[in-house]
Amino acid sequence: MKIRSLFLSAALAASGVQAAGITVSAAASLSDAFKQIVQAYGQAYPGDKVKLNTAASGVLLRQLEQGAPVDVLATADAATMDKADQKQLIDRETRKNFARNALVLAVPKNAAVSIRHSGDLNRVRRIAIGKPESVPAGAYAKAALEKQGLFDVLRPKFVYTQNVRQALDYVVRGEVDAGLVYRTDAQLKQFAVKTAYVVPTEAVLYPVAVTRSSAQPAAARRFAGFVQSPEAQRILQSYGFSRP
């Protein structure tokens, strides 16, 4: 093991790559895919250590604003990354869209009520939705329902959640009749939930960028670039994400 470590260190030094430790803050809906991507990245760059921090995109932005040591930011929407850019928290040149998703209405597998479109939501009692001000999935859902004139009508039924995975958990446990989540989230829990329909929204794009406060910008750029690599894209697609 020691010989292998020495060999890897020598290889990194010879290639001019300096090992480093970085923190990657990623949207909650990326949790599973990014865990695997971090593992793949570690095999490609064995000297680098990656700490993965996941939460709602709005929460990640607040953490960064408050001085959290973040090197790479990956959000579930362009709006949150736009705010990070406006506050000069990211290196604009490193920003790239790396994945696409879709918003769906998920219901328990054994749901008694048949739901085929947004209008049917009047027939359910409780709907899980991410807080629109901090959870991109919630913001997408609010915009879509407002366009159909349903948001205010359905407001009394909403159970607001801290992130999209919490909304999914409520559906899985049967604590709500339906939840507005990402297609990738519903796919993870196919044994317990089913997709009633795909909610028409603007493009659900995931951007990644290196932060301006990164103490390890070279390693941060390596990781941000790796997320766009064929290997990382295969992992993302295996979790239901599509190319941007």
Side-chain angles (χ1 to χ4, degrees):
M1 182 64 71
K2 183 179 291 185
I3 293 176
R4 183 172 183 272
S5 297
L6 290 172
F7 174 78
L8 291 172
S9 297
L12 287 170
S15 66
V17 175
Q18 298 299 313
I22 60 172
T23 296
V24 175
S25 283
S29 52
L30 291 168
S31 298
D32 299 88
F34 261 43
K35 286 177 183 177
Q36 193 170 337
I37 286 175
V38 167
Q39 292 178 348
Y41 177 82
Q43 293 176 352
Y45 299 96
D48 287 0
K49 303 300 179 185
V50 179
K51 178 183 177 181
L52 182 60
N53 170 48
T54 58
S57 296
V59 172
L60 298 178
L61 177 60
R62 287 199 298 273
Q63 291 173 349
L64 184 56
E65 286 182 286
Q66 294 168 5
V70 178
D71 300 281
V72 178
L73 177 66
T75 63
D77 64 335
T80 301
M81 193 65 80
D82 288 343
K83 292 177 183 177
D85 187 13
Q86 292 162 8
K87 296 175 185 293
Q88 298 186 340
L89 296 172
I90 61 167
D91 181 346
R92 182 180 298 177
E93 294 182 356
T94 65
R95 176 177 175 173
K96 300 289 183 183
N97 292 328
F98 66 92
R100 180 189 291 265
N101 210 338
L103 189 73
V104 303
L105 185 86
V107 298
K109 276 278 192 182
N110 59 352
V113 179
S114 176
I115 300 176
R116 297 182 180 179
H117 52 77
S118 299
D120 288 336
L121 289 176
N122 287 307
R123 300 164 56 197
V124 304
R125 293 176 303 167
R126 292 160 64 85
I127 306 165
I129 177 175
K131 292 182 177 179
E133 62 272 17
S134 60
V135 182
Y140 284 123
K142 180 180 179 181
L145 292 174
E146 283 182 333
K147 191 173 182 178
Q148 299 174 64
L150 291 171
F151 187 78
D152 288 334
V153 174
L154 297 173
R155 193 192 297 268
K157 301 175 183 286
F158 292 149
V159 177
Y160 293 105
T161 65
Q162 299 298 320
N163 57 62
V164 70
R165 288 296 176 83
Q166 186 178 37
L168 178 67
D169 287 341
Y170 284 174
V171 180
V172 170
R173 295 197 298 264
E175 295 176 10
V176 296
D177 302 298
L180 289 152
V181 302
Y182 291 126
R183 175 183 61 206
T184 52
D185 298 309
Q187 178 175 309
L188 284 172
K189 302 292 185 178
Q190 292 183 47
F191 65 92
V193 305
K194 59 184 178 181
T195 297
Y197 66 88
V198 177
V199 181
T201 66
E202 61 180 281
V204 180
L205 294 174
Y206 287 67
V208 63
V210 174
T211 67
R212 291 170 64 94
S213 60
S214 174
Q216 301 289 346
R221 284 174 177 267
R222 280 198 292 274
F223 185 86
F226 186 80
V227 168
Q228 302 164 60
S229 71
E231 183 173 4
Q233 288 295 313
R234 283 195 294 272
I235 293 172
L236 286 163
Q237 288 172 37
S238 73
Y239 282 92
F241 293 94
S242 54
R243 293 182 178 275

